[in-house]
Amino acid sequence: MKLVSKAFVESLSNGMGLVVLELDDCTRWSMIDRPFHNVNGAPVHVYRDGRKFYVGFNGESERFAVDEM
């Protein structure tokens, strides 16, 4: 997995049946699984593995699959 971006979470909201993750680097990502803890303002790393993208919050090892919007 390759690190693509480091940013901070601007907001995490539900919209149109999707969980939408907005970052301070002006990118938006749709998520299938919502993190169990509050991630607003948290540092986030965006990773790429082939054509798939993942995000990890607060330097934790758990990663969530995302799609760029």
Side-chain angles (χ1 to χ4, degrees):
M1 247 183 253
K2 178 182 167 188
L3 180 64
V4 175
S5 175
K6 292 181 182 180
F8 289 93
V9 176
E10 287 286 321
S11 70
L12 183 66
S13 59
N14 291 327
M16 298 180 294
L18 296 171
V19 176
V20 178
L21 174 67
E22 293 186 51
L23 305 181
D24 70 340
D25 64 357
C26 299
T27 58
R28 294 177 65 186
W29 302 87
S30 64
M31 302 179 71
I32 296 171
D33 297 324
R34 185 180 186 101
F36 293 112
H37 54 285
N38 183 10
V39 295
N40 286 334
V44 61
H45 292 173
V46 180
Y47 299 94
R48 183 179 189 153
D49 185 17
R51 289 195 263 163
K52 298 177 182 176
F53 289 93
Y54 301 91
V55 293
F57 301 100
N58 297 319
E60 296 176 5
S61 60
E62 184 177 21
R63 303 230 167 89
F64 298 87
V66 293
D67 289 318
E68 193 167 19
M69 295 181 75

